[in-house]
């Protein structure tokens, strides 16, 4: 007797979701009580949900749909590759043309010196891979004591078993027994909360890095990981010059510098990679999200020739035991090639640079709102931090559950953004956003904030 098809039963998608689908980074029981919001379709900057409501996506899915929804040329590239060769392993010396050409194209576009590319499925396993390569590198170099890793508070480096410890957000640590003893964190370069000038904040960060390396012993420290702009830590934008100073300090101290450009890469902050803003070439760089604009899973680790050659020459005839079944997947690689073409030849990056002043102007206007303590951003990556007291920068009481109310209010006004736990709105509109759509984003956010301002408990908190 055949089993019943659950999709054809009378049960709703909400019921099926509640009973079977585990959602990432969610409160499981709270999600069951709330129920899923089903997204049906997307076009350009717009999403349509299961109730037919049209929503302006000001967060590019999850920082990733940089070219917007419904780019037909990407769909065609994926379909053609599926017909020709839907899978090709990278094991046993096999390869596929899309993966090879994508690696070559990334090496062309990346900061100078990053000539070697290892493909992953996303950002988390790119960070995990980078950690493994670094451990291998120092063992091969004859420096096996170099096992300590340093990252930043409020940093996000994925949720893999290794990367979640470099991540410094409480939800990714709770009940997971991370960070590990070899994972350390320095204060975030947070201009709004530091109270320091740009120069003083840069000097403090450099001093803290030097002090931590001295504490651990330079012969024991392997690498420093950072995002050029901290994404999931509420979009913290370090002052210009910070990245260059940290990179130079790492070189001086003999530790590898790893730039996590999973969020900032591929035009999000203006140039192809955020490192370009300060002429920084890291020893390794992790990318994902904008690499395929979310149309297919893919990430990558880019590494210098020196790191690659040290690993390769240590045992020339022995396999390096790190690999994924779907590394360099030909369909994802074909998608990536077309996405890169759209960035460079299709005018997507040029459009992002053209509308960036409009984005900055929208942030500046909202800075005057009674609930807004700080606005910050670079390119098309930004944040609006809400406070109960502008003068003292006092945050809102968590009991007000402002992040939930912010998200619900925005959704009701037809705009999707990230509402961080500290009542900061995160923004990352697609790079294809028009000036009219950009204005619409900020108009709808302003309307949402105005409505919240009329709530009695919010008014009381501001008093």
């Amino acid at each position: 007797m055949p089993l019943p098809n659950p999709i054809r039963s009378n049960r709703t998608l909400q019921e099926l979701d509640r009973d079977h689908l585990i959602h990432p980074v969610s409160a499981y029981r709270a999600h069951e009580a709330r129920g899923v919001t089903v997204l049906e379709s997307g076009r350009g900057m717009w999403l349509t949900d299961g109730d037919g409501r049209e929503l302006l996506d000001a967060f590019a899915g999850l920082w990733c749909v940089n070219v917007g929804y419904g780019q037909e040329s990407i769909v065609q590239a994926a379909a053609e590759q599926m017909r020709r060769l839907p899978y090709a392993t990278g094991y046993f010396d096999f390869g596929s043309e899309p993966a090879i050409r994508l690696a070559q194209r990334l090496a062309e576009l990346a900061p100078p010196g990053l000539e070697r590319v290892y493909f992953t499925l996303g950002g988390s396993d790119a960070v995990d891979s980078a950690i493994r390569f670094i451990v291998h590198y120092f063992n091969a170099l004859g420096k096996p004591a170099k096992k300590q890793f340093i990252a930043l508070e409020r940093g996000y480096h994925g949720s893999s078993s290794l990367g979640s410890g470099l991540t410094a957000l409480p939800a990714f640590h709770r009940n997971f027994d991370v960070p590990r003893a070899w994972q350390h964190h320095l204060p975030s370069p947070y201009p709004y909360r530091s109270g320091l000038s740009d120069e003083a904040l840069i000097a403090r960060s450099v001093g803290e890095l030097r002090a931590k390396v001295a504490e651990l012993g330079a012969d024991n420290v392997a690498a420093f990981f950072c995002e050029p702009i901290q994404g999931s830590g509420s979009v913290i934008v370090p002052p210009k010059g910070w990245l260059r100073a940290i990179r130079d300090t790492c070189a001086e101290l003999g530790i590898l510098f790893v730039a996590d450009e999973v969020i900032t890469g591929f035009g999000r902050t203006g140039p192809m990679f955020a490192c370009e803003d300060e002429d920084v070439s890291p020893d390794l760089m992790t990318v994902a999200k904008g690499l395929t604009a979310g149309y297919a899973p893919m990430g990558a680790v880019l590494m210098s020739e020196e790191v690659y050659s040290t690993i390769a020459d240590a045992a020339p005839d022995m396999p390096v035991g790190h690999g994924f079944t779907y590394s360099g997947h030909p369909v994802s690689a074909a998608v990536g090639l077309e996405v890169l073409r759209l960035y460079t030849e299709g005018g997507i990056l040029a459009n992002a640079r053209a509308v960036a002043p409009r984005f900055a102007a929208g942030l500046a206007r909202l800075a005057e709102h009674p609930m807004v303590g700080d606005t910050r951003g670079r390119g098309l990556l930004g944040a609006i931090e809400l406070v109960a007291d502008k003068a003292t920068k006092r945050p809102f009481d968590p009991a007000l559950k402002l992040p939930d109310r912010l998200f619900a209010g925005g959704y009701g006004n037809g705009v999707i953004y990230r509402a961080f736990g500290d009542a900061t709105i995160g923004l990352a509109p697609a790079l294809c956003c028009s000036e009219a759509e950009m204005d619409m984003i900020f108009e709808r956010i302003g309307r949402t904030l105005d409505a919240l301002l009329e709530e009695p408990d919010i008014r009381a908190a501001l008093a």
Side-chain angles (χ1 to χ4, degrees):
M1 182 177 180
L3 293 172
N5 184 340
I7 301 300
R8 295 187 179 184
S9 72
N10 291 325
R11 303 182 67 216
T12 65
L13 285 175
Q14 284 77 9
E15 290 170 328
L16 294 169
D17 175 272
R18 182 177 294 115
D19 289 349
H20 302 295
L21 184 58
I22 300 172
H23 286 249
V25 194
S26 66
Y28 293 172
R29 295 305 184 195
H31 172 77
E32 291 170 9
R34 178 194 181 279
V36 68
T37 299
V38 177
L39 298 174
E40 291 275 348
S41 61
R43 177 67 59 181
M45 286 286 296
W46 296 86
L47 288 167
T48 302
D49 69 12
D51 295 325
R53 183 186 290 108
E54 289 194 334
L55 302 149
L56 189 54
D57 183 2
F59 204 64
L62 193 65
W63 327 85
C64 58
V65 190
N66 288 0
V67 300
Y69 300 94
Q71 289 280 3
E72 186 58 31
S73 65
I74 301 175
V75 176
Q76 291 176 0
E80 288 174 11
Q81 186 58 47
M82 282 186 174
R83 293 188 189 98
R84 182 183 305 115
L85 183 67
Y87 175 76
T89 183
Y91 286 61
F92 321 126
D93 300 316
F94 286 121
S96 70
E97 181 176 352
I100 294 166
R101 294 200 180 281
L102 182 59
Q104 182 264 338
R105 186 68 176 127
L106 284 174
E108 283 182 348
L109 295 171
L114 297 175
E115 298 290 337
R116 302 288 182 162
V117 182
Y118 174 79
F119 286 116
T120 65
L121 278 74
S124 289
D125 55 335
V127 169
D128 191 280
S129 297
I131 294 170
R132 283 173 57 79
F133 286 134
I134 290 167
V135 169
H136 198 297
Y137 166 77
F138 281 116
N139 286 336
L141 201 59
K143 297 182 178 181
K146 278 185 167 286
K147 293 292 190 294
Q148 305 298 311
F149 286 70
I150 303 172
L152 292 173
E153 295 171 0
R154 303 180 77 99
Y156 182 74
H157 300 290
S159 60
S160 67
S161 294
L162 296 180
S164 61
L166 290 181
T167 288
L169 302 174
F172 295 87
H173 293 175
R174 190 170 51 248
N175 289 333
F176 286 109
D177 294 345
V178 292
R180 303 186 184 192
W182 48 269
Q183 296 175 322
H184 312 273
H185 297 93
L186 301 178
S188 170
Y190 193 170
Y192 177 61
R193 293 287 174 184
S194 74
L196 300 174
S197 68
D198 289 353
E199 294 77 11
L201 183 54
I202 292 169
R204 190 186 75 177
S205 286
V206 168
E208 287 164 343
L209 176 57
R210 288 185 183 280
K212 178 57 72 173
V213 172
E215 173 195 332
L216 297 170
D219 291 340
N220 299 320
V221 179
F224 176 81
F225 276 70
C226 73
E227 303 157 89
I229 293 175
Q230 294 185 278
S232 294
S234 297
V235 190
I236 306 303
V237 185
K240 284 290 185 75
W242 180 88
L243 195 70
R244 177 80 258 171
I246 292 294
R247 200 278 173 265
D248 289 347
T249 304
C250 287
E252 180 188 334
L253 295 173
I255 62 178
L256 295 178
F257 176 76
V258 187
D260 186 335
E261 292 235 25
V262 168
I263 288 172
T264 57
F266 304 104
R268 174 54 60 193
T269 68
M272 182 64 77
F273 297 102
C275 282
E276 295 176 43
D277 266 335
E278 297 188 27
D279 194 28
V280 164
S281 289
D283 297 296
L284 296 97
M285 185 169 76
T286 55
V287 298
K289 295 190 183 294
L291 173 58
T292 58
Y295 279 65
M298 188 172 238
V301 180
L302 283 72
M303 68 175 72
S304 69
E305 187 65 34
E306 199 276 332
V307 173
Y308 172 82
S309 294
T310 299
I311 294 172
D313 294 340
D317 297 323
M318 298 291 290
V320 176
H322 183 68
F324 303 141
T325 299
Y326 299 116
S327 178
H329 193 284
V331 177
S332 294
V335 167
L337 283 167
E338 177 56 20
V339 168
L340 292 182
R341 190 195 68 80
L342 289 174
Y343 288 145
T344 56
E345 299 173 27
I348 296 292
L349 259 62
N351 183 78
R353 295 188 189 104
V355 299
R358 202 86 165 202
F359 182 71
L363 288 172
R365 284 195 304 274
L366 284 180
E368 303 303 315
H369 194 276
M371 294 175 66
V372 175
D374 185 45
T375 61
R376 49 188 178 260
R378 191 175 298 163
L380 295 187
L381 179 62
I384 304 162
E385 183 169 346
L386 307 187
V387 294
D389 189 316
K390 283 177 176 273
T392 65
K393 304 179 184 179
R394 174 172 55 87
F396 282 94
D397 187 338
L400 292 171
K401 297 187 176 181
L402 194 53
D404 292 342
R405 295 162 71 175
L406 269 174
F407 187 84
Y411 198 91
N413 283 314
V415 61
I416 296 174
Y417 44 67
R418 180 83 173 267
F420 293 107
D422 61 355
T424 295
I425 294 172
L427 297 171
L431 310 188
C432 64
C433 188
S434 69
E435 289 190 346
E437 289 166 332
M438 192 68 76
D439 291 345
M440 200 178 300
I441 287 171
F442 287 103
E443 186 276 328
R444 293 181 179 195
I445 294 173
R447 200 188 324 155
T448 301
L449 295 180
D450 288 344
L452 280 170
L453 192 58
E454 297 303 313
E455 297 287 335
D457 57 348
I458 299 296
R459 280 207 169 275
L462 289 168

